């Protein structure tokens, strides 16, 4: 069987996402399974080249995983023989410049979201990538979560009848960093470093709503900086200049109304860190990261409002679990496999820079809606 090595420059691999989800759970997991077999029998074999700012950290990661290639110089790494793909998982503010460098070097580019800090820059990257004739893609991991795959299956199977509304709850308490260490990096709370929950999460909500329910046509958002001061990784207090919660209403094609709360300042009273309830004329579903439960029209109870009596029904027990019916792999890995196949001419990859730009567009319009205090139409992006 022919084996084709694909050199992949992974930039930002010392970070949370870069290390855990992309290097360990995706690239190394693909190697552990013996590579990726394409339709013609060729085995694709990813060869990671770790890139970052700290040689000490890169060397430690490489040694831990038996890897030999790393660099603190992006240009030099891209020029190494065998490199075909550039992957970016740096902080958001550092992304566009590095992606440009990779496009100029003629590499295929796959990147974490958001693609850029504003839609103009995102579209410019898409245009440059097309002109250079490279393959491009943006991480849209939530589409590959078991819970959302089961939800999509219900939509495709016509379970809901006419979909009326979607209610999404995302969030958890991110510690301020004073008496307990924060579990997210401090740049997330500084707008000057590309932080903010609208910039972070609205690109996810864009592809989730567009792909699973219906295309987003308008946005109305209210952001908030609930915790104005936090303490950083070095124990130093800093002003939190970026939104740590966002309350959004989105109108979708066909009149569906989606409300999504995104918050790093809420305590979880849910089964999963994100949950979407979809209500339709024929039935409803609640989907999380892994689970999806349904209640069909025929199984819907008839509650009667009476605050004088304690609730007599266990409403949660009236829902049914949607079976997996298949094995779900890690979502980041699944999308990596699709991108590598795409690079090797072994399949389509619809989650390109234009899809990434649509995510950036929703974040940008969400921020504008908050600032101007009004509902804003989401126009089609010209390719
Ligand atoms: N798809 C998802 O679900 C998901 C989840 C979290 C984060 N992300 C995205 O992944 C990217 C990385 O996020 P993270 O949470 O891993 O962040 P992180 O702070 O843990 O890692 C950031 C990486 O960027 C590097 N970096 C480059 N320039 C830097 C600078 N000037 N200051 C600080 N670090 C710099 C760091 O060395 C580190 O390797 C972001 O763009 C974020 O939006 C995606």
């Amino acid at each position: 069987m022919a084996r084709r090595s694909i050199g992949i420059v992974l930039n930002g691999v010392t970070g949370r996402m870069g290390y855990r989800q992309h290097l360990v759970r995706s690239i190394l997991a693909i190697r552990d399974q013996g590579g990726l077999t394409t339709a013609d029998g060729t085995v694709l074999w990813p060869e990671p080249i770790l890139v970052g700012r700290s040689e000490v950290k890169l060397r430690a990661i490489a040694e831990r995983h038996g890897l030999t290639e790393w660099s603190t110089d992006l240009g030099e790494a891209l020029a190494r023989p065998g490199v075909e793909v550039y992957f970016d998982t740096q902080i958001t503010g550092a992304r566009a410049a590095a992606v440009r460098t990779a496009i100029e070097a003629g590499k295929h580019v796959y990147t974490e979201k958001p693609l850029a800090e504003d839609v103009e820059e995102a579209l410019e990257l898409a245009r440059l990538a097309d002109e250079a004739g490279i393959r491009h893609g943006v991480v849209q991991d939530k589409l590959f979560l078991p819970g959302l795959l089961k939800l999509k299956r219900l939509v495709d199977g016509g379970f809901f009848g006419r979909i009326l509304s979607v209610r999404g709850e995302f969030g958890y308490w991110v510690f301020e960093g004073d008496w307990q260490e924060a579990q997210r990096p401090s740049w997330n709370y500084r707008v000057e470093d590309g932080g903010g929950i609208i910039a972070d999460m609205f690109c996810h909500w864009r592809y989730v709503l567009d792909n699973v329910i219906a295309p987003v046509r308008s946005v109305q958002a209210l952001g908030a900086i609930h915790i104005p001061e936090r303490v950083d990784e070095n124990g130093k207090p800093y002003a939190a200049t970026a939104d740590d919660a966002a309350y959004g209403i989105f109108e979708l094609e066909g009149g569906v109304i989606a409300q999504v709360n995104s918050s790093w300042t809420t305590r979880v009273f849910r089964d999963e860190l994100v949950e979407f309830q979809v209500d339709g004329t024929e039935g409803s579903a609640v989907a999380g990261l892994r689970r999806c439960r349904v209640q069909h029209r025929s199984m819907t109870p008839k509650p009667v409002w009476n605050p004088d009596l304690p609730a007599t029904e266990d409403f949660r027990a009236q829902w049914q679990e949607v079976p997996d019916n298949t094995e779900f792999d890690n979502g980041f890995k699944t999308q990596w496999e699709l991108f590598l196949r795409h690079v090797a001419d072994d399949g389509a990859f619809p989650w390109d820079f234009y899809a990434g730009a649509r995510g950036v567009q929703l974040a940008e319009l969400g921020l504008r809606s908050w600032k101007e205090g009004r509902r804003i139409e989401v126009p089609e992006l010209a390719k």
Side-chain angles (χ1 to χ4, degrees), residues 310-381:
T312 51
E313 294 185 78
D314 181 356
F315 292 113
R316 280 174 185 265
Q318 294 163 347
W319 294 68
Q320 274 176 299
E321 191 81 38
V322 176
D324 285 357
N325 289 355
T326 185
E327 271 187 36
F328 297 107
D329 205 346
N330 176 288
F332 289 92
K333 173 168 171 268
T334 302
Q335 207 186 351
W336 259 108
E337 291 182 342
L338 292 166
F339 187 74
L340 292 177
R341 288 185 190 285
H342 183 54
V343 163
D345 279 327
D346 189 43
F349 192 86
W351 311 282
D352 62 5
F353 278 8
Y354 294 99
R358 287 194 287 277
V360 176
Q361 179 197 35
L362 192 64
E364 192 173 302
L365 295 179
L367 285 164
R368 195 197 301 165
S369 163
W370 172 24
K371 198 167 147 215
E372 297 178 5
R374 66 186 182 93
R375 172 178 159 276
I376 294 183
E377 303 285 331
V378 178
E380 291 284 347
L381 279 184

Side-chain angles (χ1 to χ4, degrees), residues 256-330:
V256 182
I257 297 166
Q259 278 173 277
V260 186
N261 290 332
S262 315
S263 178
W264 291 320
T265 51
T266 187
R267 297 182 175 89
V268 180
F269 189 69
R270 268 172 266 130
D271 294 327
E272 303 200 61
L273 295 190
V274 67
E275 280 181 355
F276 295 93
Q277 173 159 345
V278 179
D279 289 305
T281 51
E282 297 296 311
S284 297
V286 176
L289 301 172
R290 304 198 67 85
R291 300 181 65 181
C292 184
R293 280 159 285 183
V294 290
Q295 186 169 94
H296 187 256
R297 180 174 188 242
S298 59
M299 301 297 287
T300 306
K302 192 188 278 183
V304 177
W305 180 260
N306 186 352
D308 296 329
L309 293 176
T312 51
E313 294 185 78
D314 181 356
F315 292 113
R316 280 174 185 265
Q318 294 163 347
W319 294 68
Q320 274 176 299
E321 191 81 38
V322 176
D324 285 357
N325 289 355
T326 185
E327 271 187 36
F328 297 107
D329 205 346
N330 176 288

Side-chain angles (χ1 to χ4, degrees), residues 1 19 64 75 77 94 104-105 109 112 130 157 176 199 205 230-231 233 238 240 290 297 311 318 320 341-342 372 382:
M1 221 181 320
Y19 179 68
R64 193 178 316 145
E104 279 162 19
V109 182
E112 258 296 353
D130 274 353
E176 300 89 324
W205 306 151
R230 291 177 175 266
V231 174
E233 291 81 358
Y238 66 96
R290 304 198 67 85
R297 180 174 188 242
Q318 294 163 347
Q320 274 176 299
R341 288 185 190 285
H342 183 54
E372 297 178 5

